[in-house]
Amino acid sequence: MHTLVVAHRGGAHLVERGNTTQAFEMAIRVGAPMAELDVHRTADGVIVVHHDHAIGGVEIARVSLASVRQLGLAQGYVVSTLTEILDLCRGRIQLDIEVKTPGFEAPLLTEVYAGFHRNQVVFKSFHDRTVRALKALDPQAKVGLLVGLGDGWRDLPRTLTELFPEARVLRCGADFVSPNERLLTLGFIRRLHLLGVPVWVWTVNDPRAIGKWMGRVDALITDRPDIA
């Protein structure tokens, strides 16, 4: 099996900060075929590339792009808009876009498809309803369901749906499942592959673990695309 290497946040361990123009340039430089990024939408409707939902304790969704830029600069980095990153990456690297919060699926697809062919981009989310919304808007879009270990035994029902996500994947119409590496137990890969569902594992950084999963999973998301 060929395993696709995806540079997590552009290869976060290779630069000072992931999800920045420097990170995506680095991912391209080391030859990663795809880069992962996270998106939020500001109060004035601009989609920005940033991992956390807040900067300096201020929620991105509650303030304007200008305020988000100022908050980022105060923390020592530049927050890019999605359009800026699309312009940087177009024709140079494929993209894996994680939708952090539901509610802006339609404008997201419009913005992405204005510059990227659907064959060059995938979407994913921890939110089942976001996966369903994206597939409803564009049945040909490639959309994945993210799953990861949450509170463990303290939230056993949720943990079980992450260890055994088959029903969720089928209900939301996901094209692939993207589990945290710790979930790859109890025959996880085999079970999903029997359903015809690809497995995109995150975030694998240890060189031995990278070697272990290469050829066994469909995609490996890593902060160290140079090693992978």
Side-chain angles (χ1 to χ4, degrees):
M1 174 189 293
H2 171 73
T3 297
L4 175 69
V5 174
V6 183
H8 184 236
R9 304 184 206 170
H13 284 190
L14 303 179
V15 293
E16 186 174 350
R17 188 178 186 90
N19 272 329
T20 58
T21 55
Q22 294 84 0
F24 297 111
E25 286 287 3
M26 180 61 73
I28 293 167
R29 187 182 310 167
V30 301
M34 178 176 280
E36 186 264 359
L37 57 89
D38 308 282
V39 292
H40 297 269
R41 187 170 63 163
T42 65
D44 52 350
V46 181
I47 301 174
V48 296
V49 177
H50 195 267
H51 180 265
D52 296 342
H53 74 283
I55 305 174
V58 179
E59 291 187 26
I60 290 173
R62 294 183 177 274
V63 294
S64 67
L65 173 63
S67 296
V68 168
R69 299 268 208 198
Q70 291 174 350
L71 290 165
L73 288 173
Q75 299 290 325
Y77 61 93
V78 176
V79 178
S80 297
T81 65
L82 176 59
T83 294
E84 290 168 344
I85 298 303
L86 293 173
D87 289 343
L88 172 69
C89 295
R90 185 181 302 111
R92 305 174 72 198
I93 193 169
Q94 299 178 67
L95 293 179
D96 168 7
I97 299 175
E98 180 180 342
V99 187
K100 303 295 283 190
T101 53
F104 60 98
E105 294 86 0
L108 172 64
L109 288 179
T110 298
E111 187 168 333
V112 171
Y113 288 162
F116 263 69
H117 191 276
R118 63 167 56 86
N119 291 340
Q120 299 297 308
V121 62
V122 303
F123 304 89
K124 64 178 188 284
S125 180
F126 282 104
H127 303 281
D128 301 51
R129 60 173 169 156
T130 291
V131 175
R132 284 194 297 269
L134 289 167
K135 293 298 291 184
L137 289 163
D138 179 13
Q140 293 183 307
K142 189 171 183 177
V143 187
L145 176 68
L146 276 159
V147 290
L149 288 174
D151 292 328
W153 293 107
R154 288 177 292 180
D155 187 4
L156 184 57
R158 176 73 179 187
T159 299
L160 288 174
T161 71
E162 295 179 332
L163 280 166
F164 300 92
E166 291 90 334
R168 288 178 62 193
V169 169
L170 294 173
R171 281 198 301 266
C172 70
D175 299 293
F176 63 95
V177 64
S178 189
N180 182 280
E181 183 186 8
R182 293 174 294 174
L183 290 172
L184 298 186
T185 185
L186 301 174
F188 189 103
I189 298 172
R190 180 182 58 81
R191 287 187 279 109
L192 273 297
H193 280 174
L194 284 174
L195 284 179
V197 179
V199 175
W200 292 41
V201 64
W202 59 275
T203 301
V204 186
N205 296 326
D206 180 78
R208 290 171 298 180
I210 289 173
K212 174 182 178 180
W213 299 120
M214 292 294 282
R216 297 180 61 191
V217 296
D218 300 89
L220 185 139
I221 301 165
T222 177
D223 293 320
R224 295 299 309 269
D226 55 329
I227 294 175

